[in-house]
């Protein structure tokens, strides 16, 4: 005999189950990435390619929340000696975190600029900023700790994975405050010296 038609309540339950399955898949994937980080395969990658390859992956979320994305790329950034896929993951995670912190109609900026660290060495700095509620000063030092999260459905591993990937590239991740509020996460990556990897 034919199956009875699905009731609205059944479809709602199936949608909830599907959502929970995807959430659990994300948790397992993040836990495995944190406990067994993949090998780092370094290659020369233009900074513009990093941004161009990352932003389309978060566009559905940005469109859903009517979030405006502003891109800025300094003209004097040389190629980066990075694992392309891992650094795309870093950028996507930061963009997704920023989007999740915003209400409808918020703004996110992503930029890459050439700067010097405290010792004068050249570095590329990837910044992802938003105009959301910001992170209280007493919690900023905990942001990169494994399993720390302020989200009800968060795992606390996304930003820890970001920090782990950046450290394997010889860089660092910082939370920057700004006068207008919101949050800025800055990824500092060493730039090649005289065209050679550091």
């Amino acid at each position: 005999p034919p199956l009875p038609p699905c009731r609205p309540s059944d479809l709602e339950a199936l949608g909830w189950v599907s959502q929970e399955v995807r959430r659990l898949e994300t948790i397992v994937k993040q836990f495995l990435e944190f406990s067994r980080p993949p090998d780092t395969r370094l290659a020369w990658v233009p900074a513009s390619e990093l941004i161009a390859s990352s932003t389309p992956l978060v566009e559905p979320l940005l469109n859903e929340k009517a979030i405006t994305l502003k891109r800025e790329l300094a003209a004097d950034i040389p190629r980066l000696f990075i694992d392309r896929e891992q650094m795309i993951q870093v950028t996507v995670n930061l963009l997704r975190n920023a989007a999740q912190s915003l209400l409808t109609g918020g703004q996110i900026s992503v930029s890459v600029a050439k700067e010097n660290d405290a010792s004068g060495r050249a570095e590329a700095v990837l910044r992802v900023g938003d105009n959301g509620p910001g992170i209280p000063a007493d919690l900023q030092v905990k942001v990169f700790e494994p399993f720390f999260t302020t989200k009800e459905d968060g795992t606390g591993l996304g930003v820890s994975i970001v920090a782990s990937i950046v450290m394997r590239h010889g860089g660092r991740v910082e939370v920057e405050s700004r006068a207008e509020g919101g949050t800025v996460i800055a990824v500092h990556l060493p730039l090649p010296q005289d065209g050679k990897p550091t």
Side-chain angles (χ1 to χ4, degrees):
L3 295 173
C6 286
R7 296 169 298 180
S9 58
D10 294 333
L11 294 175
E12 183 178 342
L14 286 172
W16 180 83
V17 169
S18 177
Q19 180 179 343
E20 285 300 296
V21 168
R22 288 194 299 270
R23 187 177 69 85
L24 290 172
E25 286 177 344
T26 299
I27 291 172
V28 172
K29 180 181 177 184
Q30 289 184 339
F31 183 78
L32 290 175
E33 287 176 354
F34 184 76
S35 60
R36 294 184 309 192
D39 293 336
T40 301
R41 300 179 180 180
L42 302 176
W44 297 102
V45 179
S48 57
E49 181 182 329
L50 178 62
I51 301 300
S53 299
S54 302
T55 51
L57 299 176
V58 294
E59 280 182 356
L61 177 58
L62 301 182
N63 293 337
E64 178 185 335
K65 301 182 74 172
I67 293 171
T68 302
L69 178 64
K70 180 181 179 183
R71 304 172 181 87
E72 294 182 25
L73 187 65
D76 60 344
I77 298 294
R79 292 179 302 164
L80 307 174
F81 195 63
I82 58 174
D83 183 306
R84 179 182 180 277
E85 299 307 316
Q86 289 185 23
M87 288 308 302
I88 287 175
Q89 180 182 0
V90 164
T91 309
V92 168
N93 277 5
L94 294 180
L95 287 169
R96 185 176 290 121
N97 280 355
Q100 290 171 346
S101 75
L102 293 175
L103 299 175
T104 300
Q107 295 181 340
I108 295 175
S109 63
V110 56
S111 65
V112 182
K114 182 179 179 181
E115 300 178 10
N116 292 324
D117 65 12
S119 64
R121 292 174 64 89
E123 61 180 10
V125 184
L126 165 71
R127 288 186 173 88
V128 176
D130 64 66
N131 64 345
I135 302 173
D138 60 323
L139 297 182
Q140 290 183 11
V141 295
K142 299 181 179 180
V143 167
F144 305 108
E145 293 179 3
F147 307 110
F148 173 79
T149 182
T150 58
K151 303 173 187 175
E152 290 185 2
D153 59 348
T155 63
L157 286 176
V159 180
S160 296
I161 290 171
V162 164
S164 175
I165 290 173
V166 174
M167 285 179 62
R168 292 200 299 274
H169 282 75
R172 66 189 189 282
V173 187
E174 298 176 346
V175 179
E176 298 179 349
S177 61
R178 56 184 185 181
E180 64 269 31
T183 301
V184 178
I185 304 294
V187 174
H188 297 255
L189 296 170
L191 282 173
Q193 307 294 314
D194 300 323
K196 298 179 180 179
T198 53

